[in-house]
């Protein structure tokens, strides 16, 4: 399902003109992510968009000199592109290519609501209420987007797992768990009001977001409106 999300997001961005007139590079982290990258490259080329490079970034080894040489070659190829599309799951934290390359990067991932949206979500508020009732002397810092996002993510995972286990009934094994998850369909989770699970979709998030690199803030930030793949 994550594969499908990336491919569908690329289709939307091609259709809305995000890459018009640009030279595009495609990046992924390791071999399992290559099929999605290959399909995205095909979509870009079919849309008349020039793909300057398609690169597997991979994991750096123990040899620092070899790593530096590999990075230099990779960065040289990435610099040919006006925009970069990351198909890897760890690109934001792994690549240390420098601002001159990262500022051109478009990373597509599951929509991560802004702090004010998370705090206004009734399901997230219920998560906070449950937490406060259990740990009244250890309040969470709700001014920190990282803390609230992490907390909402943990609560979301717990709620979804509980829901699946309840649907699976008295006999819990891998087969009953998968069958229960595939039968849920549309539902809501904390910070993810438009969730979906089904036979062909095992990743609950149905909204994606484009992340672009903010040089001043030294971080990737959400850009534009969420992209729905349903």
């Amino acid at each position: 399902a994550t594969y499908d999300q990336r491919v569908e997001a690329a289709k939307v961005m091609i259709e809305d003109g995000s890459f018009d007139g640009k030279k595009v590079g495609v990046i992924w982290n390791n071999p399992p992510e290559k099929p999605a990258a290959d399909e995205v490259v095909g979509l870009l080329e079919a849309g008349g968009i020039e793909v300057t490079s398609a690169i597997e970034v991979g994991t750096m080894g123990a040899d620092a000199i070899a790593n530096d040489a590999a990075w230099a070659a990779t960065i040289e190829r990435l610099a040919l592109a006006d925009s970069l599309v990351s198909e890897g799951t760890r690109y934001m934290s792994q690549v240390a290519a420098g601002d001159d390359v990262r500022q051109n990067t478009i990373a597509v991932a599951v929509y991560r609501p802004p702090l004010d949206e998370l705090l206004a979500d009734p399901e997230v508020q219920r998560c906070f209420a449950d937490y406060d009732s259990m740990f009244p002397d250890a309040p969470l810092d709700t001014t920190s987007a990282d803390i609230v996002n992490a907390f909402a993510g943990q609560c979301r995972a717990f709620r979804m797992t509980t829901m699946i286990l309840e649907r699976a009934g008295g006999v819990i094994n891998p087969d009953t768990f998968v069958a229960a998850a595939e039968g849920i369909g549309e539902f809501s989770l904390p910070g993810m009001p438009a969730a979906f699970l089904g036979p062909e979709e095992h990743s609950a998030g149905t909204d994606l977001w484009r992340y672009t690199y903010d040089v001043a803030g030294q971080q990737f930030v959400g850009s534009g409106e969420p992209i729905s793949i349903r």
Side-chain angles (χ1 to χ4, degrees), residues 81-179:
D82 299 316
S83 293
L84 303 176
V85 179
S86 170
E87 292 301 314
T89 55
R90 300 188 306 280
Y91 178 74
M92 293 183 191
S93 60
Q94 184 178 17
V95 172
D99 291 345
D100 56 335
V101 171
R102 284 185 289 183
Q103 68 182 350
N104 295 328
T105 302
I106 301 171
V108 180
V110 173
Y111 178 62
R112 186 177 180 182
L115 179 60
D116 56 349
E117 185 175 324
L118 272 176
L119 294 176
D121 186 325
E123 288 300 311
V124 174
Q125 293 175 4
R126 186 157 72 93
C127 292
F128 277 118
D130 291 343
Y131 175 89
D132 290 340
S133 67
M134 296 178 65
F135 306 102
D137 297 326
L140 290 171
D141 180 6
T142 58
T143 65
S144 168
D146 288 340
I147 289 176
V148 174
N149 266 295
F151 175 76
Q154 294 295 326
C155 186
R156 183 161 56 241
F158 176 79
R159 292 274 172 81
M160 184 170 69
T161 302
T162 301
M163 181 186 303
I164 295 171
L165 291 173
E166 289 175 346
R167 290 179 64 91
V171 180
I172 306 297
N173 58 49
D175 290 337
T176 59
F177 188 90
V178 171

Side-chain angles (χ1 to χ4, degrees), residues 8-58:
E8 290 302 315
K11 290 179 182 177
V12 170
M13 295 168 72
I14 291 169
E15 291 170 359
D16 71 12
S18 294
F19 304 120
D20 288 356
K22 295 182 178 179
K23 299 176 181 179
V24 178
V26 178
I27 316 150
W28 65 97
N29 291 117
N30 50 55
E33 293 160 354
K34 188 175 187 299
D38 286 343
E39 188 163 352
V40 168
V41 168
L43 289 169
L44 290 166
E45 291 178 340
I49 298 161
E50 181 180 353
V51 178
T52 61
S53 52
I55 303 173
E56 180 178 316
V57 176

